[in-house]
Amino acid sequence: MKRIVAKKRYTASDMRAVSDNPEWTNRDFAKAKAIHEVFPTMRKGRGPNKASTKKLVSLRLSLVVLDHFKAGGPNWQSRIDDALVKIVKRKAG
């Protein structure tokens, strides 16, 4: 029979004993700088989209199609989109 061991709870003294990441004081907060001041050349996120080119939809695919595209590795959703775009362009003209 497997014995269940209760998880150890951390006490307040355990938390005070941790010295590698001490709690910030008011002096620490006063000295803190914004990230853009420390790293001025760092980009802030991805930036705005120029134009929305895709729309999120839910689509049910047959297992044959799904297995085929997933077997090609990552980015299988983009490959499905590329295949559908080719079909639409072929039909259109």
Side-chain angles (χ1 to χ4, degrees):
M1 181 188 249
K2 200 173 197 180
R3 191 172 149 214
I4 298 173
V5 179
K7 290 184 178 180
K8 180 184 181 223
R9 304 261 178 185
Y10 291 104
T11 64
S13 63
D14 291 334
M15 298 306 286
R16 284 190 297 274
V18 177
S19 62
D20 60 339
N21 191 13
E23 189 170 328
W24 277 37
T25 63
N26 288 337
R27 182 182 291 166
D28 294 326
F29 279 107
K31 291 189 309 183
K33 295 181 182 180
I35 192 154
H36 66 272
E37 293 176 23
V38 179
F39 301 105
T41 59
M42 182 182 277
R43 282 184 42 176
K44 294 178 189 172
R46 192 173 163 185
N49 281 340
K50 294 180 178 93
S52 181
T53 59
K54 294 186 178 182
K55 181 164 177 74
L56 179 63
V57 296
S58 177
L59 179 67
R60 295 176 68 88
L61 301 171
S62 66
L63 288 177
V64 174
V65 172
L66 201 55
D67 290 342
H68 171 78
F69 282 97
K70 280 189 170 184
N75 300 322
W76 57 271
Q77 297 98 330
S78 296
R79 288 195 305 278
I80 291 174
D81 182 58
D82 294 341
L84 292 171
V85 167
K86 280 182 186 177
I87 291 168
V88 169
K89 286 182 178 179
R90 195 175 338 143
K91 296 266 184 184

